[in-house]
Amino acid sequence: MLRFPTKRCALFWLVALATAQFATAHQLSVFAWVEGDSVLVEATLPKGKHPKMGAVQVYDGEDRLLLKTELGPNGKASFPLENWETGLRIVVDIGHGHQSYWILTPYDIQQQRQETQ
């Protein structure tokens, strides 16, 4: 059994553990890859769950907004591969401050296109 020297120490660890669990409970991971002339995006939450909705914004390598789309109920989205010469940054926002992104460099895009064509 764990013994804490004081009640304050026990309270500190209880709050720390609860906070750590809460922080990881809402972690959003984003993955994006190229298949042919399309970019596929998948957003996941812990334990393999998918967000039911969310906004997807795509920026070029010079931070210009190229397009906006939505995640489907399965946590996935796709869009045509255009204007990729400077790379792409795909940002997924599921609300309440939960946002993450994936970067596809021009090299990544070129390699993945060649593999799937």
Side-chain angles (χ1 to χ4, degrees), residues 77-98:
S78 66
F79 55 90
L81 179 62
E82 298 173 350
N83 302 319
W84 60 270
E85 292 76 17
T86 60
L88 299 173
R89 180 171 51 99
I90 298 115
V91 179
V92 175
D93 186 340
I94 60 170
H96 304 290
H98 304 296

Side-chain angles (χ1 to χ4, degrees), residues 37-98:
D37 291 326
S38 297
V39 177
L40 304 163
V41 179
E42 182 174 5
T44 60
L45 296 166
K47 299 183 182 178
K49 294 183 179 181
H50 296 283
K52 297 190 186 323
M53 62 172 52
V56 179
Q57 297 178 328
V58 181
Y59 298 87
D60 68 8
E62 296 172 353
D63 211 30
R64 288 185 297 243
L65 180 64
L66 298 177
L67 67 93
K68 293 180 182 181
T69 188
E70 297 290 323
L71 284 177
N74 59 357
K76 296 180 181 179
S78 66
F79 55 90
L81 179 62
E82 298 173 350
N83 302 319
W84 60 270
E85 292 76 17
T86 60
L88 299 173
R89 180 171 51 99
I90 298 115
V91 179
V92 175
D93 186 340
I94 60 170
H96 304 290
H98 304 296

Side-chain angles (χ1 to χ4, degrees), residues 7 19-20 28 44 47 51 58 61-62 87 98 103-104 106 109-110 115:
K7 288 182 182 177
T19 303
L28 175 66
T44 60
K47 299 183 182 178
V58 181
E62 296 172 353
H98 304 296
I103 293 176
L104 289 169
I109 295 168
Q110 188 173 14
E115 290 173 6

